Structures are given as C-alpha cells and as structure tokens.
Amino acid sequence: QNLTTLGLSNNLISDVPKEICNLENLLVLRLANNCISELPSNIGNLSKLINFDLADNMLTSLPNSFTKLTNVVVLHINRNKLVNIENCKNMNKLDAISIAHNQITRIPEFIYTLPELTLLNAVHNRITSFLEGITNELMFLPSGVFTRTEFVNLDGNPLNTASQYNYRQLREVLQRREDDTWGNGYGDY
C-alpha cells in the first residue's frame, strides 16, 4: 500500500493485474517492453502517479480513467498502436511526452497549450496536420502555445505542406529560444 515505485518492464506481461490500481501511493510505474494490449479500466485510481512508462507494448487505446491521471509529469507511450491520445487531456503537469512510433493521425490541441511541456516526441506516426488553425502570419506562436517547450520532433510523419511549414517555423523558434538562453550568460560555466 505504501509502495511508490514499481518496475515491471521486460517481463512479457500481457495482462496488468487490477490490484496494481489499488497502490494509491504509487508515483512511478514502469510497464515498458511487455505485451500489454489493454490497461485496467480503473488505472485512473493511481492519481499520484508522476512517471508512467508504457513504451513498447501493444496498446491500441487508453482507458477513459486515464483522464484522472492529472499529476503525470513524464509519459512514455511510444511504440504502441495508439491512434489517439485524447484521454491524456487532463495531464496539465506533463513535462515530457513520447508518443513516437504509434498510429496517431493528429496532435490534439491540448498538447499545444500544456503549461509545463518541454519535450514532445511524435516521430513516425501518421500525423498530417500540425498547428493548423493555431498560427497566423502576424504571430507564429500565439500566447499560451508551446510556452516552455524546448524540443519537438515530428520527423517521419506525412505532414501536409502547411504543417511542414509550421513545423519548420516552430523548430526555428525553439532554436532561437535556445540561442537566447545560452547567449544570456547561462553558457559561461
């Protein structure tokens, strides 16, 4: 009951025991590199979870109770078979999310405005549209969009022409941010 970290990666697990969802003090759960195709419907009971690693499994969807995981800071759901991540919409504390190597077709708008997000890895999905309807010629990144983000990778996606432009523009903005940070004396150590 007082367990805070549970590492079950690399164990050929196909079914996550429902009892794990009773570990209400769990902060870190590592289930990477297993054979998990479905999570328990009550996974949202792990409301204190801050680091959740589900990489390299066979998930096709995330349960509705995923919306209750509001304290997650780091989420690895790369290398699954996910088509969307809408049930991550209440993870407002996310600092890093890896959704690479899935079957996701679009980045949900909530990702753009996550206040703490510094890293988004979405390589090799099926994303065709990126930042469309968010940007304009006068202001590439409106207030509240990717405010703390340092790294975004969408390589290997079939982005349409407008989204390819948006992606290039975003990378330039992020590079300028990095240059400004290091140019202000932070790199003089």
Side-chain angles (χ1 to χ4, degrees):
Q1 198 72 26
N2 292 325
L3 191 66
T4 59
T5 300
L6 181 58
L8 295 172
S9 296
N10 306 307
N11 279 299
L12 299 175
I13 296 170
S14 56
D15 294 316
V16 178
K18 291 181 177 161
E19 293 77 18
I20 285 178
C21 300
N22 296 329
L23 300 172
E24 295 175 1
N25 291 312
L26 207 57
L27 301 174
V28 177
L29 180 54
R30 294 187 182 103
L31 294 169
N33 199 24
N34 282 296
C35 303
I36 301 165
S37 59
E38 188 176 9
L39 293 171
S41 60
N42 60 339
I43 197 79
N45 291 354
L46 302 176
S47 60
K48 293 182 182 177
L49 209 57
I50 57 172
N51 187 320
F52 200 178
D53 189 351
L54 288 162
D56 293 292
N57 278 289
M58 295 186 287
L59 295 169
T60 57
S61 65
L62 301 172
N64 290 336
S65 68
F66 225 68
T67 59
K68 296 179 182 177
L69 300 176
T70 58
N71 289 307
V72 174
V73 174
V74 176
L75 179 64
H76 295 279
I77 49 177
N78 46 300
R79 296 189 185 277
N80 278 282
K81 298 176 182 179
L82 296 169
V83 294
N84 77 62
I85 56 168
E86 292 294 335
N87 285 343
C88 298
K89 65 186 172 198
N90 294 334
M91 293 183 175
N92 291 325
K93 295 179 182 175
L94 268 179
D95 174 73
I97 182 169
S98 181
I99 58 173
H101 297 274
N102 276 288
Q103 298 171 13
I104 296 167
T105 56
R106 69 178 196 82
I107 304 278
E109 286 192 25
F110 76 86
I111 292 286
Y112 302 144
T113 57
L114 288 170
E116 304 297 324
L117 188 70
T118 61
L119 181 143
L120 169 62
N121 182 7
V123 301
H124 297 285
N125 276 284
R126 297 179 180 172
I127 299 165
T128 56
S129 174
F130 179 67
L131 284 174
E132 288 191 37
I134 304 287
T135 64
N136 61 54
E137 290 180 26
L138 297 175
M139 184 185 318
F140 178 67
L141 284 182
S143 177
V145 175
F146 286 134
T147 54
R148 298 191 61 197
T149 306
E150 299 170 7
F151 181 81
V152 172
N153 194 342
L154 295 173
D155 294 351
N157 281 288
L159 296 173
N160 63 35
T161 303
S163 293
Q164 287 175 18
Y165 174 79
N166 290 342
Y167 180 43
R168 280 193 307 274
Q169 290 291 105
L170 176 64
R171 289 182 72 125
E172 288 176 18
V173 167
L174 297 179
Q175 184 61 52
R176 281 195 301 273
R177 278 187 197 164
E178 183 179 330
D179 292 347
D180 289 348
T181 299
W182 291 106
N184 287 329
Y186 294 114
D188 296 335
Y189 292 101

